[in-house]
Amino acid sequence: VQLQASGGGLVQAGGSLTLACAASGHTFNTLYMGWFRQAPGKEREFVATISASGGRMFVVDAGKGRFSISRDSAKNTVYLQMNNLKLEDTAVYYCAAARSTESGTFSRILRGYDYWGQGTQVTVSS
């Protein structure tokens, strides 16, 4: 599975960005997907996840009400819509994937994923 993340950039606080992650090399609708982020000097942390069918999703508390995750099986792409961005959202954002063995499965932990994209930088300025 190859994952290609895009959509990062520089945005002012309060602004919005949509990250995209295109998957190839495996049947997309058998993969659950996730987004993680890593700020300088910090560990990589969970942001959001979505099941293979798209029927279940979960967003970290810090992102609830601001972030949403979705997927488009026609484009083999998962998205992370981020609104009302804050300075503390500055990080490299990584998409990740894993094969779903049960309906509705997703994961909020790093070791729940087998495949990782290269990361895309999100910088929020004041």
Side-chain angles (χ1 to χ4, degrees):
V1 178
Q2 292 79 46
L3 303 174
Q4 181 70 42
S6 61
L10 175 64
V11 63
Q12 285 190 324
S16 298
L17 279 176
T18 301
L19 306 183
C21 176
S24 61
H26 197 276
T27 305
F28 184 67
N29 61 8
T30 65
L31 299 171
Y32 65 81
M33 307 291 292
W35 286 97
F36 290 75
R37 66 186 182 186
Q38 187 166 18
K42 295 188 177 181
E43 295 185 349
R44 194 171 298 190
E45 64 179 9
F46 167 78
V47 177
T49 182
I50 188 167
S51 63
S53 68
R56 293 186 69 214
M57 57 201 75
F58 189 89
V59 175
V60 69
D61 284 349
K64 285 183 178 176
R66 302 188 299 124
F67 294 178
S68 63
I69 186 170
S70 62
R71 61 192 295 156
D72 184 340
S73 57
K75 296 182 178 180
N76 288 355
T77 299
V78 63
Y79 302 96
L80 182 68
Q81 173 69 44
M82 304 185 292
N83 300 320
N84 190 22
L85 282 160
K86 302 178 180 181
L87 297 179
E88 53 264 40
D89 295 320
T90 294
V92 177
Y93 283 70
Y94 297 90
C95 63
R99 294 182 178 128
S100 180
T101 57
E102 296 181 9
S103 176
T105 300
F106 59 38
S107 178
R108 290 173 273 179
I109 61 175
L110 288 167
R111 65 176 182 268
Y113 294 87
D114 301 311
Y115 309 101
W116 292 84
Q118 85 286 5
T120 185
Q121 176 71 47
V122 172
T123 302
V124 184
S125 65
S126 59

